[in-house]
Amino acid sequence: MIGPNRRIRTKLEAGERAFGFTVQLPSPELVELGGAAGYDYCWIDAEHGSLGLTELRELIRAADAAGIDSIVRVADHSASFIQRVLDLGATGIMVPHVRSVEEGKALAAAARYSPAGLRGACPFVRSAAHVSEDWTADYQRADADVLVFGLIEDIEGVENVEAIAAESGLDGLVYGPFDLGQALGLHADIAHPTVRAYHDRVVDACRKADIEYVTAGVAWEFGAEATNGSRIISVVGDRGSIFQTWKTALQEAATALR
C-alpha cells in the first residue's frame, strides 16, 4: 500500500492531538513545507480550491513524501469522485453539506469496500501500490484506516446532528459556521449567538456519540479549542496565512521607510 503514514489515527490511538493545515493552492511544495513544519496532516480543499484530479494526485503524493496524512474535502457527495480520490491514496475525505443520517450512511459506504460499503474494488490503483500483491490485506487495511468526516453547515444538518453523529457511521463531524451564517441570513456572521449555539450543539452531539469533533480552523472556535474536545485540529490555511504574512510585511516595510 502507498501512503502508510497513518499519522492521525496513530496520534489518536496514543491519546494525542493531530494538527493540520488547509491547502487550496495547487502547490506540492506547500504540502512539503507543512510536513517540514511538523504538522500531521493537510486538508486539501477540492470544494473551493482550484484543484482537479491531477493536482490532487500531486498534493497527495507530496503528503506521502512528507510523511503526513491527506484529507481531501470533496466538492459534493459523488460516490464516484470519492472513490477516485481514495484510489489516488488520500487518507480520507471531508464531505460538505451533510444534512441527514441517510446521507451520512451513503458517504461512509462510498469510502469502504464490500461487504462494509460500496466502494468499487480494483487492485490496480495508486492506493494499492499500483498493483496489489495481497488484495485481501490491502482492502481490509484500507477499510480500517480510512477517515470519513462530514461537514455540518446547513440548518437541516444541525437539526439532525444528534442522529447523524450516532447513526451514520462517520468518523467525525466538522462544523461549518460560514455557510450556516449565510443560510441563516446573517451574511456569514460566524460570531452571531445563533451560530455559536449551533456550534455547541454539534460539539455535544459528537461527544455523546463518541466520534471526533474536527476543528475546521482555530479562528472559528473563539477560544473554545481547549474545551471542545477536538483532537483533530486545522490550524492555518495557505491563502490566509500567505496573505496576512505578505500584508504585514508590506505594512512594516512602508512604516519603517516613512
Side-chain angles (χ1 to χ4, degrees):
M1 296 285 284
I2 285 178
N5 303 310
R6 206 176 177 275
R7 286 280 289 269
I8 295 174
R9 285 199 179 275
T10 298
K11 284 292 186 77
L12 298 185
E13 288 165 359
E16 301 173 0
R17 291 186 174 94
F19 293 95
F21 59 97
T22 305
V23 176
Q24 288 188 318
L25 302 174
S27 171
E29 286 87 353
L30 283 174
V31 175
E32 292 171 340
L33 278 169
Y39 286 94
D40 299 299
Y41 69 91
C42 61
W43 160 12
I44 303 170
D45 190 355
E47 181 185 13
H48 296 294
S50 53
L51 307 172
L53 279 172
T54 299
E55 290 84 6
L56 288 174
R57 180 191 64 202
E58 296 311 303
L59 295 177
I60 292 168
R61 290 177 70 184
D64 290 345
I68 63 176
D69 285 346
S70 54
I71 303 295
V72 176
R73 176 160 78 169
V74 296
D76 53 35
H77 293 209
S78 168
S80 62
F81 189 78
I82 289 170
Q83 174 180 301
R84 297 185 78 179
V85 165
L86 294 177
D87 283 353
L88 287 176
T91 306
I93 55 171
M94 185 182 296
V95 187
H97 301 292
V98 179
R99 303 177 181 92
S100 68
V101 172
E102 291 72 24
E103 288 183 344
K105 287 182 176 180
L107 297 170
R112 293 176 173 85
Y113 296 104
S114 178
L118 300 173
R119 179 180 172 185
C122 179
F124 306 111
V125 291
R126 182 177 182 275
S127 61
H130 299 288
V131 180
S132 173
E133 296 185 287
D134 186 347
W135 175 248
T136 299
D138 285 345
Y139 94 76
Q140 289 178 344
R141 174 186 156 186
D143 277 359
D145 284 352
V146 69
L147 291 165
V148 186
F149 304 132
L151 269 156
I152 304 297
E153 51 189 347
D154 304 274
I155 297 171
E156 184 181 354
V158 175
E159 290 174 346
N160 295 323
V161 69
E162 289 82 10
I164 293 170
E167 302 171 24
S168 65
L170 298 176
D171 297 289
L173 297 179
V174 188
Y175 182 60
F178 204 81
D179 272 284
L180 263 167
Q182 191 72 17
L184 288 164
L186 301 171
H187 313 291
D189 179 5
I190 63 174
H192 191 277
T194 301
V195 179
R196 297 294 302 278
Y198 281 1
H199 162 274
D200 294 345
R201 184 170 172 181
V202 174
V203 170
D204 189 56
C206 290
R207 193 170 292 155
K208 288 179 178 177
D210 196 26
I211 65 172
E212 301 298 327
Y213 172 70
V214 181
T215 297
V218 293
W220 287 358
E221 293 295 317
F222 300 97
E225 58 269 19
T227 59
N228 62 22
S230 180
R231 302 189 299 167
I232 305 172
I233 303 167
S234 297
V235 180
V236 295
D238 54 359
R239 291 187 195 270
S241 56
I242 292 170
F243 172 82
Q244 192 57 53
T245 299
W246 287 14
K247 183 178 180 179
T248 300
L250 175 60
Q251 291 171 338
E252 290 175 350
T255 299
L257 294 171
R258 284 177 184 167

